[in-house]
Amino acid sequence: MRFFYAFTVVLFSTLSFSQAASPSAPPKELPKLERFRAELADPAVDPCTDFYKYTCGKWHRENPMPSDQVFWGPAGPLNLWSQTLLVQTLEKLSANDPKRTANEQKIGDYYHACMDEKTVEAHAREWLKPELERIAKVRSQRDLIAAIAYQHQTLPAAWAQQDNQTNSTLFGFTGWPDYADASHNVAFLDQGGMSLPGRSYYLDQDEKSKDIRSKFVKHISNLFVLAGAAQQQADADAQVVLALETDLAKAAMDAISRRDPNNTNNKMTLAQVKALAPSLDFDQYLKLVNAPASPHYIVTSPNFFKGVETMLHQHPLEHWKVYLRSRMLQGSGNLMSADFVNENFDFVRTLIGAKENQPRWRRCVNSVDGNLGEALGQAYVAAAFPPENKARVLKMVEDLENALDKDIAGLEWMTPETKKQAKVKLQATLNKIGYPDSWRDYSAIPISRDNYLANRQNAIRFEFARNLAKIGKPVDRNEWTMTPPTINAYEEPTNNTINFPAGILQPPYFDMQQDDSVNYGDIGGVIGHEIIHGFDDQGRKFDAQGNLRDWWTASDTKEYDVRGKCISDQYTQEIPEAGPGVKQDGRMTQGEDTADNGGLRIAFQALQQSLTREGREMDTKESDGLTPRQRFFMSYSFGWCSEYRPELIRLVVLTDPHSYPKYRVNNTVANMPEFAAAWGCQKGQKMARVNACRVW
């Protein structure tokens, strides 16, 4: 799946941070939300030279980044507002009241156990002891696969499919729609098992990468010492972890190759899967995780599993036990006893430049949302997303899809045959707004008031089993992979769906108090972004049913690739904010950049439709001194105002398939003559590119 705003995806379970200032105790009142306003513009900046600075510079000067944040922008207050809304619910439900519903009991007791620092501090090592003993009892490769299966069911991970690798121990396993028949799920095996954000962190030889690896080794050693190891042994074992994970990185498919779904669509029988790594007993693994029979298996990176086979012969069993211990201790989370919390956070400083950790209440809200999100999300929706909001968003989606339909019809470079197929796909897109039609049933998860680690493991075990149970069954297109409070959006190519949780349908992204020129510029750009993902360099390879199928004529494919290369070449550039010599690879960000450009263009066209209905003109100044055209582009840019710590900028540029926000704004508007008309920019100025790129 492709996210709208996804740099945290690469960090998975090791990091926990937020976008808003973090009071040590939950606020008593909901904080103020940031909203678009005309006076955001900085008159000292020429919008035709640097539109991002024109829109965002003044706001950042007046709103410096708080010391406990790693990135900061107008969405920060929304994050705090949402978490405050959630914690008010959780604090009420954490009381041991027999009148609570089953869902209320689960989220309330989960939050209570998470917040009970006294119990956590007293029992954390007791809870971890059987986890360490389980690894110590590994005596054979058969025991090793059993330990891996156990960690898959009890440690947090993320299934990333195409854009990155899973964070599961050694490899990932789940049920997912089949590339060839997206109406049914099959078993997927993916590369994974690396602790650092991407394979480049292991393989690059610049001084910064070497320094991060050195600090990673120290971090792992410190975790081993906290778990009871002697310092000398801990230091040696930490070097083993780095060596083993470096071998995993060498075997892994690179991020750019993974962007082509044809490279990850490797259909195999179980016998063929087992032949990739004969030393891993997949029969035993499938039995231990209770996996249903799969018609076949998709192995996203066969060479990775061949590499694992080599590693199983090169590294002795003791090395693998060390690796398992490191995975368990890293996965113990940022909510356990203070010594582990502080050590985990100290390494976060290295990766993303964090200065202060979140207060515990925010980490606990995140944990409830991450593990029982649809139970918690029901309260969020009831308080924050009434039916009239959903109706207005659905109308915007309709306008944007109509705009793309007209855009497709008018494309000179596309043949009628491909246009017909593109329109069929567009019409088949399922639009999911706010929250699921039916809520997930968490009744099978035991949740207690006095063991946070067990609660989290039970929730992870439930979710892992739920995903495996899909194997061999029809795909449920109505299922969500984000929780309702999530401030993000995504497109799923194998389901042909676009998905907008209620969390992102709040100010400053979507604001019922604002007119359409503001909303179509901000959330309209997000909606357009996700719609265009179905037609970017990855999404265009999936048909209306979500099957990986080439529905393009050869001539149209050639024409598309020329336009796509224009985008990727344009976004391949030095990023001075990330440090000397750090360059963004436009091939990695091409899909997101294409979605930004095409999405904003169809949002603009949709606004024109809306204004026509209202009898308004695009270029008539209104009460705030701006025209709807100007307000549209300023709102888009304002939604991306983001200041990052230098360490995080580097991480984003090296691992995230999205461009850094400044360039998401400036490169996009510089490709649009509609923007130049808003500010009177002349061809050749920085924001009015002579050789503009356009796919959609």
Side-chain angles (χ1 to χ4, degrees):
M1 67 188 62
R2 276 78 58 78
F3 300 101
F4 172 64
Y5 197 27
F7 65 79
T8 54
V9 172
V10 298
L11 305 180
F12 301 114
S13 62
T14 58
L15 308 186
S16 179
F17 54 88
S18 66
Q19 288 180 291
S22 301
S24 57
K28 298 299 182 183
E29 303 292 335
L30 287 175
K32 180 183 176 182
L33 288 168
E34 187 64 55
R35 286 185 154 89
F36 174 84
R37 55 196 185 279
E39 59 267 25
L40 290 167
D42 188 342
V45 179
D46 181 358
C48 298
T49 300
D50 187 340
F51 188 60
Y52 178 86
K53 187 176 181 181
Y54 174 78
T55 307
C56 300
K58 181 179 177 182
W59 191 92
H60 280 304
R61 287 196 303 273
E62 295 174 352
N63 299 272
M65 188 188 304
S67 60
D68 63 343
Q69 301 304 298
V70 294
F71 63 104
W72 186 246
L78 170 58
N79 192 287
L80 180 58
W81 183 89
S82 294
Q83 288 199 311
T84 302
L85 187 67
L86 294 173
V87 80
Q88 289 174 351
T89 296
L90 290 169
E91 287 191 328
K92 177 182 177 182
L93 296 178
S94 64
N96 194 8
D97 185 347
K99 296 179 181 178
R100 295 177 297 175
T101 67
N103 270 346
E104 289 173 343
Q105 175 270 318
K106 290 187 187 302
I107 61 175
D109 287 355
Y110 187 105
Y111 179 76
H112 173 84
C114 182
M115 287 294 293
D116 186 359
E117 292 184 81
K118 183 177 180 180
T119 298
V120 170
E121 289 293 332
H123 298 285
R125 280 178 168 72
E126 171 191 329
W127 294 340
L128 291 176
K129 184 178 179 181
E131 306 299 313
L132 291 168
E133 290 176 344
R134 180 184 297 272
I135 296 168
K137 292 177 181 177
V138 170
R139 296 285 186 268
S140 65
Q141 287 194 345
R142 185 175 177 83
D143 292 343
L144 175 63
I145 197 67
I148 292 169
Y150 176 79
Q151 290 198 352
H152 283 183
Q153 296 173 84
T154 56
L155 292 181
W159 180 258
Q161 202 193 15
Q162 293 165 24
D163 292 337
N164 219 294
Q165 58 269 340
T166 177
N167 195 41
S168 295
T169 299
L170 192 59
F171 63 89
F173 184 67
T174 195
W176 199 263
D178 189 5
Y179 280 119
D181 176 13
S183 67
H184 282 76
N185 293 294
V186 295
F188 268 69
L189 285 152
D190 194 18
Q191 66 188 35
M194 290 166 268
S195 305
L196 293 174
R199 69 192 295 269
S200 65
Y201 276 72
Y202 296 92
L203 305 181
D204 288 354
Q205 295 304 312
D206 59 279
E207 291 306 312
K208 183 63 175 178
S209 297
K210 291 178 180 178
D211 180 60
I212 289 174
R213 289 195 290 269
S214 175
K215 291 176 179 176
F216 172 67
V217 168
K218 180 60 177 174
H219 167 56
I220 298 301
S221 175
N222 290 344
L223 287 177
F224 286 153
V225 169
L226 287 174
Q231 185 68 63
Q232 185 175 2
Q233 186 63 51
D235 290 344
D237 286 348
Q239 292 290 347
V240 167
V241 172
L242 177 63
L244 198 150
E245 293 194 6
T246 300
D247 285 346
L248 291 176
K250 291 176 180 177
M253 185 186 297
D254 67 89
I256 294 171
S257 297
R258 283 172 67 82
R259 293 201 68 258
D260 185 347
N262 291 298
N263 290 337
T264 57
N265 181 26
N266 301 292
K267 180 178 176 180
M268 295 185 176
T269 64
L270 179 57
Q272 290 172 319
V273 171
K274 292 191 288 187
L276 293 173
S279 299
L280 283 177
D281 189 342
F282 277 109
D283 286 328
Q284 183 198 11
Y285 173 84
L286 295 173
K287 181 179 180 181
L288 289 170
V289 298
N290 196 31
S294 184
H296 53 266
Y297 296 77
I298 302 295
V299 181
T300 62
S301 181
N303 285 337
F304 175 80
F305 287 90
K306 292 178 182 178
V308 168
E309 174 65 17
T310 299
M311 291 171 61
L312 287 168
H313 293 282
Q314 290 178 337
H315 291 272
L317 189 61
E318 286 304 313
H319 283 190
W320 290 102
K321 292 168 68 172
V322 167
Y323 170 72
L324 291 173
R325 284 198 296 275
S326 75
R327 300 296 297 177
M328 189 276 294
L329 293 172
Q330 290 179 81
S332 64
N334 201 20
L335 290 154
M336 294 297 288
S337 56
D339 48 4
F340 282 97
V341 169
N342 292 337
E343 176 54 41
N344 280 330
F345 181 73
D346 191 58
F347 186 59
V348 170
R349 299 176 197 269
T350 296
L351 288 179
I352 62 174
K355 306 300 180 184
E356 298 176 23
N357 203 357
Q358 285 185 353
R360 193 173 187 92
W361 74 267
R362 296 197 73 167
R363 288 181 273 137
C364 288
V365 169
N366 287 339
S367 190
V368 179
D369 183 41
N371 290 299
L372 299 169
E374 288 197 14
L376 182 60
Q378 293 177 55
Y380 184 86
V381 168
F385 197 62
E388 57 268 28
N389 294 41
K390 182 170 182 175
R392 188 171 175 186
V393 174
L394 282 167
K395 180 58 182 173
M396 294 178 67
V397 174
E398 179 185 348
D399 281 352
L400 269 91
E401 290 181 335
N402 287 338
L404 180 56
D405 186 77
K406 292 177 182 177
D407 182 64
I408 292 169
L411 290 176
E412 296 180 356
W413 58 269
M414 186 180 285
T415 62
E417 181 182 346
T418 303
K419 285 183 180 181
K420 180 180 178 180
Q421 292 295 316
K423 289 193 171 193
V424 168
K425 178 170 184 177
L426 177 61
Q427 292 166 3
T429 303
L430 177 63
N431 305 317
K432 291 152 58 178
I433 307 298
Y435 49 88
D437 292 332
S438 58
W439 297 98
R440 192 162 298 163
D441 179 7
Y442 293 110
S443 59
I445 308 177
I447 300 293
S448 71
R449 296 178 60 80
D450 57 5
N451 192 322
Y452 168 69
L453 180 61
N455 288 344
R456 195 181 65 160
Q457 288 181 334
N458 290 339
I460 292 169
R461 188 178 288 109
F462 166 83
E463 185 64 12
F464 183 79
R466 191 184 68 82
N467 284 319
L468 292 198
K470 300 174 187 176
I471 295 172
K473 294 181 180 177
V475 168
D476 178 8
R477 292 181 76 205
N478 292 306
E479 181 186 3
W480 286 68
T481 58
M482 284 183 180
T483 67
T486 303
I487 305 173
N488 209 333
Y490 68 100
E491 182 265 350
E492 175 44 60
T494 54
N495 283 335
N496 192 20
T497 63
I498 55 174
N499 311 263
F500 303 92
I504 201 173
L505 301 175
Q506 312 292 337
Y509 294 111
F510 171 69
D511 192 342
M512 288 290 283
Q513 297 180 17
Q514 299 279 6
D515 76 330
D516 281 353
S517 63
V518 171
N519 281 320
Y520 279 71
D522 201 326
I523 197 63
V526 179
I527 295 168
H529 175 102
E530 301 305 340
I531 292 173
I532 294 297
H533 262 322
F535 302 89
D536 69 12
D537 63 310
Q538 287 180 306
R540 74 170 191 83
K541 297 174 182 177
F542 295 86
D543 65 16
Q545 288 71 46
N547 301 318
L548 183 59
R549 180 178 68 85
D550 188 359
W551 47 272
W552 294 67
T553 66
S555 62
D556 288 330
T557 294
K558 183 177 179 180
E559 291 286 349
Y560 188 101
D561 288 344
V562 168
R563 286 157 178 79
K565 188 175 187 301
C566 182
I567 293 283
S568 63
D569 287 349
Q570 184 184 101
Y571 282 79
T572 297
Q573 61 192 111
E574 297 284 342
I575 308 296
E577 296 88 350
V582 180
K583 191 173 185 179
Q584 178 175 295
D585 191 330
R587 296 173 301 169
M588 185 169 74
T589 62
Q590 182 183 342
E592 302 297 336
D593 298 332
T594 300
D596 283 345
N597 280 263
L600 190 61
R601 188 170 286 107
I602 64 171
F604 183 84
Q605 294 165 358
L607 174 61
Q608 289 179 310
Q609 298 175 35
S610 175
L611 292 179
T612 298
R613 287 195 301 264
E614 296 176 5
R616 296 167 61 197
E617 297 291 333
M618 184 70 79
D619 295 305
T620 300
K621 282 193 176 182
E622 298 185 330
S623 59
D624 62 358
L626 297 174
T627 67
R629 182 191 298 265
Q630 291 172 329
R631 200 180 293 115
F632 171 87
F633 284 108
M634 282 190 65
S635 176
Y636 172 74
S637 180
F638 184 59
W640 282 116
C641 293
S642 302
E643 187 178 8
Y644 292 11
R645 300 288 182 195
E647 297 87 345
L648 181 59
I649 300 174
R650 185 178 188 276
L651 185 152
V652 168
V653 173
L654 293 177
T655 65
D656 193 346
H658 302 76
S659 294
Y660 185 56
K662 173 182 174 180
Y663 303 99
R664 294 187 79 163
V665 172
N666 284 351
N667 283 350
T668 300
V669 301
N671 283 324
M672 293 183 65
E674 299 90 342
F675 169 82
W679 309 100
C681 305
Q682 301 300 310
K683 279 280 189 180
Q685 289 186 275
K686 289 184 178 180
M687 298 295 100
R689 191 173 282 111
V690 174
N691 298 314
C693 297
R694 176 176 178 177
V695 180
W696 301 102

